[in-house]
């Protein structure tokens, strides 16, 4: 249960802009893949959106998993431990920069 709570805290804390940029890249990637499919096999917009949502969820999970191994969490103030680490290491700025430069293989 504690890991789930920490992930929820992380999702609330993560930079909205970085997720929006990632979502934009993922959407462009999924549309590109969809255009390459035969006309009869192309996905609906709902299916494309679902694939994008799945990619965003995996992105958040991956970032969370990498951060949780680096954060020395206080038993009494886990939220403060996360915020302090994220601010001290400029995680949100670095994440935003990395996502802006990210390209998906086609």
């Amino acid at each position: 249960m504690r890991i789930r709570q920490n992930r929820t805290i992380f999702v609330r804390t993560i930079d909205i802009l970085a997720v929006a940029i990632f979502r934009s890249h993922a959407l462009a990637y999924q549309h590109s893949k969809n255009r390459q499919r035969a006309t009869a096999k192309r996905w609906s917009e709902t299916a494309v959106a679902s694939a994008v949502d799945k990619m965003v969820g995996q992105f958040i999970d991956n970032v969370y998993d990498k951060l949780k191994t680096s954060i020395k969490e206080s038993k009494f103030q886990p939220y403060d431990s996360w915020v302090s680490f994220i601010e001290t290491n400029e995680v949100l700025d670095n994440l935003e920069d990395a996502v802006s430069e990210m390209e998906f293989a086609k």
Side-chain angles (χ1 to χ4, degrees):
M1 183 68 168
R2 186 176 178 142
I3 290 175
R4 185 180 245 19
Q5 288 173 336
N6 290 345
R7 187 184 181 288
T8 301
I9 290 168
F10 174 71
V11 170
R12 289 181 189 157
T13 306
I14 192 170
D15 188 20
I16 303 293
L17 184 56
V19 173
I21 293 168
F22 182 88
R23 182 176 293 281
S24 175
H25 286 284
L27 184 60
Y29 169 73
Q30 288 296 339
H31 277 139
S32 175
K33 274 181 63 174
N34 204 31
R35 282 190 297 275
Q36 294 173 3
R37 293 184 178 96
T39 304
K41 297 199 178 214
R42 288 194 182 145
W43 292 359
S44 68
E45 280 301 311
T46 303
V48 170
S50 179
V52 170
D53 289 344
K54 183 177 178 183
M55 291 175 72
V56 169
Q58 290 171 338
F59 167 72
I60 291 171
D61 288 345
N62 288 339
V63 172
Y64 173 78
D65 289 341
K66 288 179 182 171
L67 283 176
K68 78 177 179 183
T69 61
S70 301
I71 296 173
K72 292 178 179 42
E73 193 173 282
S74 164
K75 287 182 185 179
F76 303 109
Q77 296 180 322
Y79 178 82
D80 292 340
S81 301
W82 279 79
V83 171
S84 176
F85 181 88
I86 289 169
E87 288 176 351
T88 301
N89 295 286
E90 299 178 352
V91 171
L92 299 181
D93 291 336
N94 293 331
L95 182 61
E96 188 178 310
D97 291 343
V99 170
S100 293
E101 296 172 8
M102 188 179 289
E103 291 184 23
F104 295 104
K106 294 187 180 187

